Amino acid sequence: QDECSAVHRLDVPHYAILAAQFHCGQLVRRVMSTFDRGAEDLRATMFAQWDTPLQDFHSRCVDLCRAALSEYERESSSYSDNRASHELRTAAAQKRAQLRDQLEGVILELREKYVASCRYCAQSDFDSEFGLVLGGGEHFERNARRISAKSRQHFAQALREAKLPPELESKVDLSRGDAAEFETYMRDQVDERRRTGQALLPLGADGRPISAESIANAGRPKRAPWWRSLLIRAAILGFNYWQATRGQRDARRRQRRFELDHPMAPYF
């Protein structure tokens, strides 16, 4: 009789909820294991093509998240359909939210590396073209705006692939910060080149720097020796080239440091 009373006192719904939480937790770990392998493949591909950002990064992230969530929903359907109790559906939904948070964490880490690859390429392209612009040239401002606008557009196009998958239902928007960081880099390079060019050019009677074009083509400074403008041009161009190559060397050093600090984990 005592044993029968114990059976009657057993809280069956409570144990069913515990069983659902345990089973869904195991399912989350199994799904994440498969997802991590796919994420590692994507990470390895990005490192192998670091100087060429992936054109299908977003779609590959979408496929990974969609496959993981679909597997969880399929395997946990007995706890989430309309025939299950409200408590069981709640337990399954909580574990799904936990899975989604874990997926978002991995995707954000992959996105960080993808944006770093885009930034490296954009800065290298900007430095290569802007390195030939004379800091004290009459068309410096126009050329600086043109090259900056071109690099800005290319970087923005690459960032379109950095959107988070809609399956994550994330409200995080990092694109503005990425664009602002690249904008700051270009502005700093332009300002430094402008100051360098002004420092290397001679001063006119009004105290303002005289451009190399003015020395060669017009005004009182034209009485200067013919080789003077060529010497000024060569000095500015050489210094600009040194600046551009220094920026590329620094970018390569930062990339090597990043790879040492974030080595690729072995996968099987």
Side-chain angles (χ1 to χ4, degrees):
Q1 183 177 0
D2 292 338
E3 292 179 358
C4 293
S5 299
V7 171
H8 286 298
R9 290 196 301 268
L10 184 63
D11 190 351
V12 175
H14 175 70
Y15 283 98
I17 295 173
L18 292 179
Q21 291 174 340
F22 176 78
H23 179 262
C24 291
Q26 292 288 95
L27 181 57
V28 167
R29 285 189 284 272
R30 186 167 72 246
V31 169
M32 282 302 303
S33 177
T34 303
F35 176 84
D36 286 339
R37 288 195 294 271
E40 186 59 39
D41 290 341
L42 179 55
R43 186 181 295 110
T45 302
M46 282 194 293
F47 277 119
Q49 304 178 15
W50 188 256
D51 56 350
T52 306
L54 297 179
Q55 298 182 357
D56 59 347
F57 175 79
H58 177 71
S59 62
R60 294 180 65 168
C61 289
V62 168
D63 291 341
L64 287 173
C65 292
R66 188 171 295 168
L69 292 172
S70 296
E71 180 181 357
Y72 176 84
E73 292 168 356
R74 183 176 61 254
E75 296 296 329
S76 64
S77 60
S78 59
Y79 302 113
S80 56
D81 60 20
N82 294 330
R83 292 173 296 178
S85 67
H86 172 73
E87 290 77 9
L88 292 180
R89 292 198 301 270
T90 300
Q94 289 174 345
K95 291 300 181 180
R96 186 186 187 282
Q98 177 182 335
L99 172 62
R100 188 182 62 216
D101 291 342
Q102 293 184 32
L103 295 176
E104 183 175 350
V106 178
I107 292 297
L108 285 174
E109 182 264 335
L110 291 173
R111 182 191 182 280
E112 180 182 358
K113 290 179 173 56
Y114 171 77
V115 172
S117 173
C118 295
R119 187 182 301 112
Y120 170 79
C121 296
Q123 291 179 358
S124 298
D125 293 342
F126 175 82
D127 291 340
S128 298
E129 188 169 0
F130 189 63
L132 303 177
V133 178
L134 297 177
E138 289 183 354
H139 305 298
F140 171 78
E141 299 297 338
R142 183 177 65 185
N143 289 332
R145 288 193 298 269
R146 176 182 58 81
I147 297 173
S148 297
K150 177 182 176 182
S151 299
R152 185 182 303 113
Q153 180 181 4
H154 290 171
F155 187 62
Q157 290 175 348
L159 284 184
R160 294 175 184 173
E161 286 293 318
K163 294 185 299 182
L164 296 181
E167 287 76 10
L168 297 179
E169 303 174 9
S170 176
K171 298 181 180 179
V172 178
D173 183 10
L174 304 175
S175 57
R176 292 186 178 181
D178 299 327
E181 183 177 350
F182 182 60
E183 195 71 30
T184 300
Y185 173 82
M186 293 192 296
R187 183 171 60 252
D188 291 345
Q189 297 300 311
V190 171
D191 291 344
E192 182 180 0
R193 185 68 52 80
R194 183 186 297 109
R195 290 192 299 267
T196 301
Q198 293 174 350
L200 291 176
L201 289 172
L203 299 179
D206 57 357
R208 296 180 179 180
I210 303 173
S211 68
E213 287 83 354
S214 296
I215 293 176
N217 298 326
R220 292 173 55 189
K222 193 174 181 179
R223 293 195 298 268
W226 64 269
W227 46 264
R228 186 176 182 180
S229 63
L230 297 179
L231 182 61
I232 293 173
R233 285 175 178 270
I236 296 176
L237 186 60
F239 190 82
N240 290 347
Y241 177 78
W242 175 81
Q243 280 186 313
T245 55
R246 184 190 63 177
Q248 294 177 346
R249 289 194 299 269
D250 291 343
R252 285 193 291 267
R253 280 197 297 269
R254 288 194 298 269
Q255 175 55 26
R256 286 195 294 268
R257 190 180 305 116
F258 181 86
E259 293 177 352
L260 291 175
D261 295 340
H262 303 81
M264 290 191 300
Y267 62 100
F268 305 92

